[in-house]
Amino acid sequence: MALKIFQSLPLFREMGIPRYPPVGSVCPFNRLLSTASASQALCVAYPSTSVGRCARRQGSSKLQPDTRIRSLTTTIIREPLFVATSSVGLHGDSVPQFRLTQQHRPTADEEQAFLQRLGGCSASRHVFRLLRSVTMMSDNMAAAALHRVADLEQEGNSLKDPSVLEKNVIRALCFQLEQESGYLSDAGLVSALLACTRLFLDPWSTLMVRLVSESQERLDRCQMSVEQLCTLGQAMLAMEGPGCVMLEQVMEEVQKQKPTRWSLTELIAVYKLLQGGVAENGKYRDLLNAMHTHALTVTSQMDPAAVSMLLTALVTLNQTQAMPLVISLCKQAVRHVPHFTDEELTLVLGALMHFGHSDHYFVKVMERYVPTMAFSSHPETVTKVMQFFSRRNILSPIVFDAVAESFVYRADDYSTSQVARHIMAFGKVGYLPPNAGEVFRKVENTLHTRFSHFQPRTLLNLLHSCILVERFPVNFVSKVFSSYFLQQLQEQGTGWDRFVLAQLTQLYMTMKLECPLYEGPKLLPKYHVKSFHMSGRSLEMPVDPHLYNSVKTGLIDLLGARSYFGSRVLTPYCYTLDVEIKLDEDGYVLPASHIDDVYKRIALCIDGQKRFTTNVRQLLGKEAIKQRHLRLLGYEVVQIPYYEFENLQSKTGVVDYLHQKIFPHSYRLSW
């Protein structure tokens, strides 16, 4: 009845809107929608609109009407003309002049030119202007236009400006898609459906029901390509979640085709679909393993976007068993570093940190690239660069100096979290750039002007990182030790984290040892930890067992007995000593169990490879502050670095080395 009314109106005939019979029957509920999980997105419908808005509700598995959603039809129609139907009504003098056509499709060059112009649109109004300028368009062009509007307007789970759905050009485009659904190409159909979900259109609108129904019919024919199946899968995932029956049918069709026969585009599309939540709880493990094997053979063909997307998918899917693929993608990323967008590079760095991988050539190309982008790239990208180098314990003066220089000029552009992560990187590797004075003046200024903007733990991380490189934030520590801040710090997490308490303890210890003029609040004993050494995150790196055993054997030969030195000794100052040797006033070695008449304590720091940066023989910040504090506490610190000890070839050489290190001014006794 509704369609007959539309066909009988001379106004629509004059405007050139084609009259087609209704296509694609509305599929029954058990065919169109399945029972979804409790956390699925729920789109509410209004019975008399074909383009509606989407609301999200938790804990419901059925779609239900919600009369609070305003109909686009009722908000747009301003003349007596009213159509009692679920289709979109168009105002007579505002109908755009374009028409969807399947008979006289635009040429490939025309379509490509349109897509290029569409990609250059920086606002929805520019898209609308472009659509008004064309007279004919293909279904792919129409879907691309809707996708571009979604790109520009989508913000989280809603649109920044929902009124874009009320624009005449959008309504006209949706109306033609609705009427032409049976004549759309497979690619155009599923792309249009996905675009509609990205615009949060009402899933019970005539447009959406027809697109889904038509997609189901095409799916049943088993003639869709892998890429088209993935596009349809993403649309259904957005509408119903992972429990969708139609989505399961899509995955059955995908698995009928072997990954070795897929094109690179199809391979990336399947990864993207699985990443969206389809492969939860270990589903499709065999498919993923086959995809990883195939991806290894085509990595060299991947462009920057593909490398970034695939690495991100591996992170989301937590494919820790796919390290060969991660390594191969990292090698390919070396070629693309200068060509990555800021967002792509951010994702690549995040993925490499997730898998704990870094490549020598990747680091080298980053060292060439970072000085060129530090002043212009997105703040989060620059921050991620610093995180990558510090997480991998890579000290690159080229990178750190370039970022430090840009930080002085761009600090106001950074969020409080980004400022903190910058300084945490310097603290982690224990490095001060040449312009350290300017950098930390900028940090101090940021703390003064935006102190209240810092999250409690972010602020603690920032201040703690400062002391690792001998920068003492005295003016702000007093606020950290206040009862109000400590209460906030506790409330931010789920109770007290031992690592947070360790940071507070070390911060307070630093004030006492290195800032004697500090007279601010004290850290109450109940917040102190007894040891900085703990499982997981720790303010001390445990001693390397192999290196320790070698040194221990040499010490027994040097001192004459195992009883003359202690191992892994916990001091009253929270630090754990790898080896402690006690001397009396005359310089004689005392048994480790001796408590009285100890005149000097020697702390041996047996520093294995993990206590240094990976590319430079420099102690990490947390090891440097430990040795600094031990000296201030009265210990004689003797460092036994791995790169010196490993060069010793004989037992005699080991004993002579240890004697020279520990007792440089005395003769060695022979036992």
Side-chain angles (χ1 to χ4, degrees), residues 97-163:
Q97 296 303 309
F98 62 78
R99 289 181 58 187
L100 283 178
T101 175
Q102 298 298 328
Q103 295 180 344
H104 304 289
R105 295 175 63 89
T107 65
D109 291 340
E110 290 173 338
E111 189 167 316
Q112 187 61 34
F114 174 85
L115 295 177
Q116 288 179 350
R117 293 176 62 190
L118 188 64
C121 295
S122 58
S124 295
R125 65 178 183 277
H126 300 156
V127 178
F128 303 152
R129 188 181 303 126
L130 174 61
L131 290 175
R132 293 189 188 99
S133 69
V134 297
T135 55
M136 290 190 304
M137 65 168 59
S138 65
D139 50 10
N140 290 326
M141 293 165 64
L146 293 178
H147 277 292
R148 187 56 184 162
V149 173
D151 291 338
L152 297 169
E153 296 293 339
Q154 198 175 42
E155 188 174 51
N157 294 327
S158 62
L159 299 180
K160 290 184 283 189
D161 179 15
S163 67

Side-chain angles (χ1 to χ4, degrees), residues 222-334:
C222 303
Q223 295 178 352
M224 286 188 177
S225 69
V226 171
E227 188 175 2
Q228 292 161 3
L229 288 168
C230 291
T231 303
L232 175 58
Q234 288 181 355
M236 299 314 300
L237 187 64
M239 290 179 65
E240 297 190 63
C244 174
V245 173
M246 193 169 171
L247 182 58
E248 292 181 2
Q249 185 180 351
V250 166
M251 288 306 302
E252 289 174 2
E253 290 297 315
V254 169
Q255 292 180 90
K256 288 179 181 178
Q257 306 184 42
K258 294 183 179 180
T260 52
R261 298 181 179 177
W262 296 347
S263 68
L264 178 57
T265 303
E266 291 173 332
L267 179 67
I268 296 298
V270 178
Y271 269 115
K272 192 172 182 180
L273 176 59
L274 294 174
Q275 175 191 0
V278 177
E280 290 179 343
N281 303 320
K283 292 177 67 176
Y284 307 112
R285 185 173 302 170
D286 293 339
L287 174 63
L288 276 168
N289 289 334
M291 290 168 60
H292 298 336
T293 302
H294 178 51
L296 273 170
T297 66
V298 296
T299 302
S300 60
Q301 304 172 27
M302 294 185 184
D303 60 12
V307 171
S308 173
M309 184 272 143
L310 186 48
L311 278 171
T312 304
L314 293 177
V315 171
T316 305
L317 296 168
N318 196 28
Q319 297 295 290
T320 53
Q321 80 281 7
M323 280 307 298
L325 179 55
V326 173
I327 294 170
S328 181
L329 288 168
C330 182
K331 291 179 179 178
Q332 182 68 2
V334 172

Side-chain angles (χ1 to χ4, degrees), residues 19-216:
R19 295 183 299 165
Y20 291 108
V23 291
S25 59
V26 177
C27 55
F29 288 176
N30 61 353
R31 184 70 165 183
L32 176 62
L33 298 172
S34 68
T35 302
S37 63
S39 61
Q40 73 179 51
L42 180 62
C43 297
V44 296
Y46 190 81
S48 63
T49 178
S50 77
V51 185
R53 298 182 199 160
C54 173
R56 292 186 176 266
R57 182 179 302 168
Q58 300 293 327
S60 175
S61 61
K62 295 182 179 180
L63 297 177
Q64 298 176 350
D66 188 340
T67 55
R68 293 174 297 176
I69 303 298
R70 246 183 353 169
S71 164
L72 280 178
T73 304
T74 58
T75 59
I76 296 300
I77 301 302
R78 298 185 296 272
E79 292 186 3
L81 171 64
F82 176 77
V83 182
T85 177
S86 58
S87 298
V88 177
L90 297 177
H91 193 289
D93 59 3
S94 61
V95 180
Q97 296 303 309
F98 62 78
R99 289 181 58 187
L100 283 178
T101 175
Q102 298 298 328
Q103 295 180 344
H104 304 289
R105 295 175 63 89
T107 65
D109 291 340
E110 290 173 338
E111 189 167 316
Q112 187 61 34
F114 174 85
L115 295 177
Q116 288 179 350
R117 293 176 62 190
L118 188 64
C121 295
S122 58
S124 295
R125 65 178 183 277
H126 300 156
V127 178
F128 303 152
R129 188 181 303 126
L130 174 61
L131 290 175
R132 293 189 188 99
S133 69
V134 297
T135 55
M136 290 190 304
M137 65 168 59
S138 65
D139 50 10
N140 290 326
M141 293 165 64
L146 293 178
H147 277 292
R148 187 56 184 162
V149 173
D151 291 338
L152 297 169
E153 296 293 339
Q154 198 175 42
E155 188 174 51
N157 294 327
S158 62
L159 299 180
K160 290 184 283 189
D161 179 15
S163 67
V164 296
L165 299 181
E166 301 177 0
K167 301 299 181 182
N168 293 332
V169 66
I170 290 291
R171 292 167 44 245
L173 189 58
C174 290
F175 175 75
Q176 293 196 43
L177 287 171
E178 175 187 318
Q179 297 300 306
E180 299 265 4
S181 59
Y183 298 97
L184 301 178
S185 65
D186 289 349
L189 173 67
V190 295
S191 182
L193 177 59
L194 178 60
C196 289
T197 65
R198 297 183 63 211
L199 289 169
F200 307 106
L201 299 191
D202 174 10
W204 282 115
S205 63
T206 306
L207 169 62
M208 292 289 280
V209 169
R210 285 192 178 183
L211 292 179
V212 171
S213 177
E214 186 64 34
S215 297
Q216 180 69 70

Side-chain angles (χ1 to χ4, degrees), residues 513-631:
L513 291 175
E514 303 189 67
C515 304
L517 298 180
Y518 173 74
E519 297 179 352
K522 295 181 179 180
L523 183 66
L524 297 177
K526 67 178 181 179
Y527 298 114
H528 291 201
V529 295
K530 293 182 178 180
S531 173
F532 290 143
H533 180 69
M534 57 193 76
S535 59
R537 298 176 69 190
S538 176
L539 297 184
E540 289 183 286
M541 184 70 68
V543 66
D544 178 83
H546 177 72
L547 182 59
Y548 166 76
N549 288 330
S550 299
V551 173
K552 181 180 71 172
T553 302
L555 285 173
I556 293 173
D557 293 334
L558 174 65
L559 301 177
R562 174 67 181 83
S563 61
Y564 284 105
F565 63 91
S567 299
R568 299 179 177 89
V569 179
L570 177 62
T571 70
Y573 314 105
C574 308
Y575 292 111
T576 299
L577 307 182
D578 299 331
V579 169
E580 182 185 43
I581 299 174
K582 300 175 183 178
L583 304 179
D584 64 11
E585 191 171 359
D586 296 324
Y588 290 104
V589 179
L590 297 171
S593 59
H594 206 81
I595 299 176
D596 300 327
D597 301 323
V598 178
Y599 180 76
K600 179 188 286 188
R601 297 174 186 268
I602 299 175
L604 263 63
C605 294
I606 305 174
D607 295 327
Q609 209 164 358
K610 291 184 178 180
R611 292 183 178 180
F612 294 86
T613 56
T614 57
N615 60 329
V616 181
R617 292 172 179 173
Q618 173 162 313
L619 282 174
L620 297 175
K622 62 182 179 181
E623 297 301 322
I625 193 175
K626 173 183 177 178
Q627 295 187 16
R628 195 168 74 238
H629 282 181
L630 288 175
R631 290 188 180 94

